[in-house]
Amino acid sequence: MVILGSSADWIIHGPEKSLAYMLADQGHDVWLGNVRGNTYSRGHATLSPDDVAFWNFTFHEMAIYDAAATIDYILDVSGSDELYYIGHSMGTTMFWVLCSMRPEYNSKIKTMFSLAPVAFMSNARSPIRYFAPYAKDFELISRWFGDGEFLPRNALINFVMKYGCEISALEAKICENNLFIICGHDPEQFEKELLPIIFGHTPAGTSTKALAHYAQLIQSGDFRAFDYGLPGNMIEYGEVFPPNYNLSRITAPVSIHFSDNDLLANTKDVKKLATALPNLIGSFRVAFPQFNHLDFLYSKDINSLLNENIMNMIQKSESGITPRYNIDPEEIIIPNEDEDPVFNDISSLLKHKAYSIGKETLDNVMDLKMMTENKLKLIKEKTRMTIERNLKSLKDLLMLKLKKYSNGDSYVENKQIEWKNDADVYNVINS
């Protein structure tokens, strides 16, 4: 799950494209996890979500307590000895922490599928990095984002998120940008029709401290525990600096799945992570350059780009085959940033936005051209009908005058000839 996500993210895409549904259809026992602080996990023995102390946690506590308890519960109920762990974003972070801090859980994992893996973050290009220099100053971060819960879901936010994105195309695009500005933007793969559903469940809520922890990883370049500053670290860890998570203790089989257009899980950081994992059985780059952090959940072509690969690996594993794919971390090619087709920071996002606006403008011009042509046809038809009416009126007037002056005197005869000539002119014009 992403930092503001929940179990709902795994089923939003519906039965045909959501991995949870697809695995269940194959006969697997599928469990969807939630962690403390999100919409579906706010119970506590003594504290209320209204208490600041309730929110004193990061992904560290989610890992060693919540993920551990979830795994134990699933194995106890199912009677199994091990399970497949499929994690996305913060779900992968929790796994690294759990299996490095509590290595006994490695034996309970048949295979870990890591989607958009997040551990090292020094190369992250998400706007979260702008808060990284202030990540140690938790009091300052709390004043910015709230003392306790980050982006709480109250009635107002629920209304704006769910219904505000249904009002107009413009507002839908605004909502879309708010969602993807943090994680990357892929206009080709994202289905805007999902926006009302997504915002009905996201953001699901988490602690401000969890966000600060990620910002610290960006700042330090290390994958380590929360940094409380010198006095706090001495009290918490007995050391000046927070300890690094020991990734060499993660012995469970791991298959990582990453993409180029991921502002949070940059390919350089993914390569560093892959190098540190002792039992890497596969590393897969999604075969679509613009595939972003949230496309692992909402992509239009998610089956061919991701889901089918994971399901095939599980099927082979269930058949007793444990294949190893692309296990050399050196095969994770780092894109040349000058030629990188994906988003180069926010400037690239703006370029893609400009392209979208340009395309929309062109479409509007073509629509205007068609409207103009139709309008001209209408004007031409109305003009023709007006001329015909005027000519008919002129003819009637001329005939009336011819009849009035048909008494035979010379003056009248001259007038009659004059009006007859006018009538001949009319007939020529009419023809």
Side-chain angles (χ1 to χ4, degrees), residues 203-328:
T206 190
S207 68
T208 299
K209 188 177 180 181
L211 179 76
H213 198 170
Y214 276 116
Q216 289 180 1
L217 300 186
I218 296 174
Q219 181 70 6
S220 68
D222 296 321
F223 183 47
R224 64 187 189 182
F226 191 84
D227 191 342
Y228 293 94
L230 179 56
N233 288 339
M234 293 301 297
I235 296 172
E236 188 73 21
Y237 313 116
E239 301 175 9
V240 174
F241 299 104
N244 290 332
Y245 296 114
N246 187 357
L247 297 177
S248 66
R249 302 178 76 183
I250 303 176
T251 58
V254 175
S255 175
I256 61 175
H257 303 256
F258 62 98
S259 63
D260 292 332
N261 184 30
D262 194 325
L263 299 190
L264 288 171
N266 185 274
T267 50
K268 293 179 181 178
D269 296 324
V270 172
K271 182 175 182 178
K272 186 176 180 179
L273 169 65
T275 304
L277 295 173
N279 194 8
L280 182 69
I281 66 168
S283 59
F284 299 90
R285 167 187 264 106
V286 176
F288 188 80
Q290 283 75 39
F291 205 84
N292 79 341
H293 196 73
L294 293 177
D295 281 337
F296 285 90
L297 298 172
Y298 310 136
S299 168
K300 186 183 301 182
D301 299 317
I302 193 170
N303 287 345
S304 60
L305 293 173
L306 179 69
N307 289 347
E308 291 174 2
N309 184 24
I310 295 174
M311 295 173 71
N312 288 335
M313 293 183 71
I314 292 177
Q315 185 176 7
K316 289 181 179 179
S317 178
E318 289 294 288
S319 302
I321 303 173
T322 307
R324 301 174 74 85
Y325 313 82
N326 306 331
I327 60 174
D328 186 359

Side-chain angles (χ1 to χ4, degrees), residues 326-339:
N326 306 331
I327 60 174
D328 186 359
E330 293 302 320
E331 294 186 13
I332 301 179
I333 303 171
I334 307 301
N336 184 328
E337 300 218 347
D338 294 331
E339 302 174 357

